[in-house]
Amino acid sequence: MSPLLTPRRVVIGANAHADLATALRAARPDLELRGSKFTDVTLDDLIWGDTYLGFKRPLVPTMGNIRWVHSTGAGVDAWFSPHPLPRDIVLTRSSESFGPMIAEWALARALAISQQLLDLALCQQERRWEPRDIAMLRGTKAVVVGTGDVGAHVGRLFAALGCHVLGVSRSGTGDPAVFASVVPVSELSRVVVDAHWLLLMLPLTSATRGLISRNVLAECRGAVLFNAGRGAVVDEAAIPDALAMGWLSGAALDVFETEPLPDASPLWTNPRVIVSPHISGLTTIDGAVAGFVECLTAFERGESPRWIVDRDQQY
Ligand code: GLV
């Protein structure tokens, strides 16, 4: 792939386009910018620009003269489905600012569950004094599916609390300073058997859609399932059954097949499910601009930024 050397005109398609433009102008006053919500980006904008900065795809049929798309979100599934971005347009993303936030999202839920915070809060409301045993995270097994930047941040926090952290990834590789071991996806069903925490930190691609199937869930023996990737990585309809059967003892879900989560979903009312509205890893203005500028600088030096999306792997 030949890097684009001289991006000049950047179309920003985001709700926070004005803030992004202010921060980008401060970092790179030489660039020309146009901004609007992604739903309001026009074909004229995309013909005017050479670069697009945003999370969601504009609602126009072609990308005009855009040669480079930088996703302000970590997940780039929207650029592959329902149809892929043409391969001659460079696609980058930066997930650096998401890992620490998603790791805290996961840890907060793991501690809330191990410390029984939700039940204790109910007891307090009703003035019930109910001593109980409290489990520790120390010594438990955390299986992190997806050992990239986000998964590594999550693994690091769980390891810091004394968990045994095992990674699962397509390549079977991951940072050895974080993961006690990393196994390939083909071993998923084996390693979930004694997992206490099953943490999904992977992108949605054609290879990961439905990866956590009913069969995989049926191998679990009481794990708590976390999903901060994309809803469609899991067979969502199987989660209530998995909880009822004891395959899972709980679930902390930030992403769903359909968002917002429909009123009729049984996940809303299941007392063992903690729902959050896709807020585990929010894009910050500074993080988005830093990632973009890092890629831009690399292009200008004629180098490939480390954040180029592999079009075959789709992340
Ligand atoms: C959010 O879901 C993201 O992909 O950044």
Side-chain angles (χ1 to χ4, degrees):
M1 179 182 318
S2 58
L4 177 78
L5 294 177
T6 52
R8 303 280 355 126
R9 293 178 157 186
V10 182
V11 179
I12 304 173
N15 286 345
H17 62 89
D19 291 342
L20 281 167
T22 304
L24 185 51
R25 207 167 278 123
R28 288 295 304 251
D30 54 313
L31 297 175
E32 292 179 61
L33 308 180
R34 268 194 196 183
S36 57
K37 293 181 177 178
F38 86 95
T39 43
D40 296 340
V41 171
T42 63
L43 186 54
D44 180 64
D45 293 331
L46 300 177
I47 288 171
W48 170 84
D50 49 44
T51 300
Y52 181 80
L53 176 63
F55 180 42
K56 297 202 173 153
R57 211 171 175 141
L59 306 177
V60 288
T62 85
M63 289 302 286
N65 288 322
I66 298 297
R67 310 309 325 143
W68 171 30
V69 170
H70 181 80
S71 167
T72 54
V76 288
D77 43 293
W79 298 96
F80 288 92
S81 170
H83 53 90
L85 185 70
R87 281 196 181 236
D88 59 345
I89 301 178
V90 178
L91 179 59
T92 55
R93 70 181 176 108
S94 160
S95 65
E96 201 152 56
S97 56
F98 298 101
M101 197 174 176
I102 294 178
E104 290 197 14
W105 171 88
L107 191 61
R109 279 144 187 83
L111 285 169
I113 291 166
S114 66
Q115 294 287 325
Q116 304 182 31
L117 287 190
L118 303 182
D119 192 56
L120 286 168
L122 268 181
C123 288
Q124 181 174 347
Q125 273 174 26
E126 296 166 6
R127 295 179 160 76
R128 280 190 282 121
W129 180 267
E130 288 186 3
R132 76 267 321 275
D133 289 336
I134 291 291
M136 287 179 76
L137 263 64
R138 174 170 297 277
T140 60
K141 177 175 166 185
V143 172
V144 182
V145 188
T147 56
D149 192 60
V150 173
H153 273 98
V154 171
R156 204 168 287 123
L157 277 201
F158 279 70
L161 291 195
C163 295
H164 177 78
V165 181
L166 185 135
V168 178
S169 75
R170 181 186 52 80
S171 59
T173 59
D175 184 348
V178 174
F179 299 102
S181 58
V182 181
V183 300
V185 173
S186 54
E187 294 194 37
L188 186 57
S189 294
R190 180 179 68 77
V191 297
V192 298
V193 171
D194 58 350
H196 297 94
W197 317 104
L198 177 57
L199 299 132
L200 309 182
M201 301 295 152
L202 69 171
L204 177 63
T205 68
S206 30
T208 65
R209 186 176 292 276
L211 179 72
I212 310 300
S213 61
R214 179 176 287 269
N215 287 346
V216 171
L217 292 174
E219 294 301 325
C220 297
R221 298 282 175 275
V224 178
L225 176 74
F226 294 69
N227 192 2
R230 287 288 181 270
V233 164
V234 188
D235 179 351
E236 191 173 288
I239 295 176
D241 294 345
L243 290 162
M245 301 293 288
W247 303 337
L248 296 178
S249 60
L253 307 172
D254 189 50
V255 289
F256 302 89
E257 275 173 19
T258 304
E259 295 180 6
L261 183 62
D263 273 0
S265 170
L267 298 172
W268 279 119
T269 48
N270 192 311
R272 280 181 289 162
V273 178
I274 304 177
V275 167
S276 54
H278 202 145
I279 41 85
S280 61
L282 296 177
T283 298
T284 61
I285 301 297
D286 288 349
V289 169
F292 176 78
V293 170
E294 181 187 325
C295 292
L296 173 63
T297 312
F299 285 135
E300 288 171 336
R301 289 197 192 115
E303 295 163 3
S304 269
R306 63 189 167 125
W307 297 111
I308 287 213
V309 173
D310 181 316
R311 302 306 278 270
D312 295 321
Q313 308 300 348
Q314 303 175 11
Y315 62 87

